[in-house]
Amino acid sequence: MKKRTKWVIIIAVLSIIAVLAIPEAYAYLTKRNYDSEAVTAQEIPDGYEVATLAGGCFWCMEPPFEKLKGVHSVISGYTGGETENPSYDEVSSGGTGHIESVQVYYDPDVISYEQILDVFWKQVNPTDDDGQFVDRGYQYTTAIFYHTPEQQEIAEQSKQDLQHSGRFQKELVTPIKEVGEFYKAEEYHQDYYKKNKLRYDFYRGNSGRDQYLEEKWGEDLEVNLPKK
């Protein structure tokens, strides 16, 4: 067999394999990397409780909590909608009814739910019912999702106290809802501020979030809680 003919046969065989295998590999990889996954109770560390909070872009909601002593981890995801295993593109388009959220796994013997909420209020504009800062649309609105009646009571009292504090002249529109299915976002979103620091810093610096929070809270913006 001539060398040229041999290479033609090899290329033909590889082409056939590619045609058959690549679509399957693509489907597998996209399912693994671009579909969200429902978080189950078994994934929550023993002894930890969960706070589910929405504050606009979930990239910006991870850092304030992850640095706190008593917080095991913070998971970015989607909740509040009907679509199962929604993708980031689906949620960000506003077509699934979900909003970007985070779940904070915290040790109640070290940090309380009240303290978690104190941190939460200082990350958001609770008077905006059409998004957060540069991100517009329901999928970027704020919310507190309670897991127990006790969390509901604490959240409602926390919101009421903030409203009566005079800090905000407008009505606080952040809803307090019972939590539903929470879907962990695609892996590339988790700890985005660490994995893509330059992009994250550029986005956050131009989002208007920090400027608003500094103007609204001033010296009170820093939460006096132990750090890791």
Side-chain angles (χ1 to χ4, degrees):
M1 183 183 294
K2 294 182 178 180
K3 187 174 181 181
R4 181 176 178 182
T5 303
K6 184 178 179 180
W7 276 109
V8 168
I9 294 174
I10 292 174
I11 292 172
V13 171
L14 291 176
S15 298
I16 293 172
I17 293 173
V19 169
L20 294 175
I22 288 177
E24 293 298 319
Y26 177 79
Y28 175 77
L29 291 173
T30 53
K31 179 175 178 57
R32 295 277 297 186
N33 292 325
Y34 294 98
D35 284 355
S36 58
E37 298 179 357
V39 172
T40 64
Q42 289 72 27
E43 297 176 64
I44 300 169
D46 290 341
Y48 285 80
E49 295 184 2
V50 185
T52 301
L53 308 165
C57 174
F58 47 30
W59 296 345
C60 297
M61 294 299 290
E62 287 190 6
F65 296 104
E66 286 197 334
K67 67 184 180 181
L68 299 176
K69 188 175 182 180
V71 171
H72 178 278
S73 54
V74 183
I75 306 300
S76 287
Y78 320 112
T79 193
E82 300 295 333
T83 304
E84 291 186 9
N85 304 107
S87 69
Y88 174 74
D89 288 341
E90 289 172 334
V91 174
S92 62
S93 70
T96 69
H98 293 86
I99 58 179
E100 289 196 10
S101 313
V102 294
Q103 284 200 330
V104 181
Y105 299 157
Y106 67 98
D107 183 346
D109 292 331
V110 179
I111 185 170
S112 68
Y113 188 62
E114 291 94 335
Q115 290 172 320
I116 293 289
L117 293 181
D118 286 343
V119 175
F120 168 74
W121 293 122
K122 293 183 177 181
Q123 312 307 317
V124 302
N125 176 0
T127 68
D128 188 347
D129 60 1
D130 192 34
Q132 285 291 285
F133 313 107
V134 74
D135 297 308
R136 313 312 300 162
Y138 173 76
Q139 63 272 32
Y140 295 109
T141 54
T142 63
I144 298 172
F145 294 94
Y146 62 86
H147 291 253
T148 65
E150 181 183 11
Q151 281 193 353
Q152 180 184 15
E153 182 179 349
I154 293 171
E156 289 176 347
Q157 185 63 56
S158 177
K159 179 179 176 180
Q160 181 178 322
D161 290 345
L162 183 59
Q163 184 73 77
H164 293 163
S165 70
R167 176 77 61 178
F168 297 90
Q169 301 305 311
K170 297 180 180 179
E171 179 185 1
L172 306 190
V173 297
T174 299
I176 298 170
K177 307 177 181 180
E178 184 174 9
V179 71
E181 195 82 79
F182 181 88
Y183 295 96
K184 181 179 179 180
E186 298 84 342
E187 187 58 35
Y188 70 92
H189 287 300
Q190 308 303 325
D191 289 327
Y192 189 89
Y193 73 102
K194 296 178 182 177
K195 298 174 181 175
N196 297 278
K197 187 177 186 307
L198 289 178
R199 292 182 181 180
Y200 171 77
D201 289 346
F202 179 81
Y203 161 77
R204 175 140 190 166
N206 289 278
S207 69
R209 185 184 293 260
D210 289 330
Q211 296 87 331
Y212 172 87
L213 297 177
E214 290 170 5
E215 178 183 347
K216 183 60 62 177
W217 289 92
E219 295 180 354
D220 297 327
L221 181 59
E222 184 65 27
V223 179
N224 186 25
L225 290 173
K227 307 295 193 302
K228 292 179 180 177

